[in-house]
Amino acid sequence: MFCGDYVQGTIFPAPNFNPIMDAQMLGGALQGFGCDKDMLIDILTQRCNAQRLMIAEAYQSMYGRGAGTEENCLIDILASRTNGEIFQMQEAYCLQYSSNLQEDIYSETSGHFRDTLMNLAQGTREEGYTDPAMAAQDAMVLWEACQQKTGEHKTMLQMILCNKSYQQLWLVFQEFQNISGQDIVDAINECYDGYFQELLVAIVLCIRDKPAYFAYRLYSAIHDFGFHNKTVIRILIARSEIDLMTIRKRYKERYGKSLFHDIKNFASGHYEKSLLAICAGDAEDY
């Protein structure tokens, strides 16, 4: 079942989405600010997102640039937000930075990675629309794009993944498997590389199961990058009022050990305690 699981957060009360927080994270990513200082965590752990607007100044003034990480922030946010959330985020970004989100993306990124980010930032994805006959055609286009890899094919791949509805893309991914005998994520990983590849995979995974995508990103940040503070902090905070309980469930199902366990194993001190408080794990998790 795609994106339809009952999801829940770990910190209450709250709205389900905070466009200002997203805008601030995007602004930090585009303007070269990071987020990996422990002292911020104590401010964040027991606040709802609406109360966290105070982090903006600290977020931008305290943290230096982390090479190669800002792109992942752009990927995580833009690949996972709905049209409505993107529109709200655009407005919040403009108010926060007196700047246009798409113009900043254009100036700070490049190539097909940039084109795909800008497409997502438009918020033009179809909603609730399915066409089984068109799904087979789209799947063939995706297959050809993975084989030929020309600029034109990359553009068509991007247009399909960024603009077709989630429901339609589920059909497309099934048809892709039928046509190619291969999962589309595996095909993308084989045929492309760099941030363009990471963004395409993120889109596919978010369409299939958003909490599972964030579980994967957390696991990767913790295990593959030596506990990458910025990514772990950002995801836990951003999803704490939306679906962190479900992310915890997916994490345990997929990786055997709980998110609570891995944070406790890799972090320490007040930083560990604060992250565990956001995670809201219990003895059973550990």
Side-chain angles (χ1 to χ4, degrees), residues 77-105:
I77 292 176
L78 290 172
S80 64
R81 301 309 193 252
T82 66
N83 288 348
E85 290 169 348
I86 286 171
F87 292 141
Q88 293 178 59
M89 190 168 59
Q90 288 174 344
E91 293 178 0
Y93 189 93
C94 185
L95 290 172
Q96 182 77 27
Y97 298 105
S98 299
S99 184
N100 181 278
L101 175 59
Q102 292 183 61
E103 290 177 1
D104 285 353
I105 289 172

Side-chain angles (χ1 to χ4, degrees), residues 35-42 45 227-234 236 263 266-278:
C35 181
D36 58 3
K37 296 289 184 180
D38 294 351
M39 67 176 66
L40 246 183
I41 298 302
D42 290 330
T45 52
F227 203 85
H228 197 284
N229 291 4
K230 251 198 282 195
T231 302
V232 175
I233 291 168
R234 173 167 44 79
L236 289 183
I263 291 173
F266 283 89
S268 61
H270 293 296
Y271 179 67
E272 171 200 337
K273 292 178 182 178
S274 300
L275 290 181
L276 292 178
I278 297 175

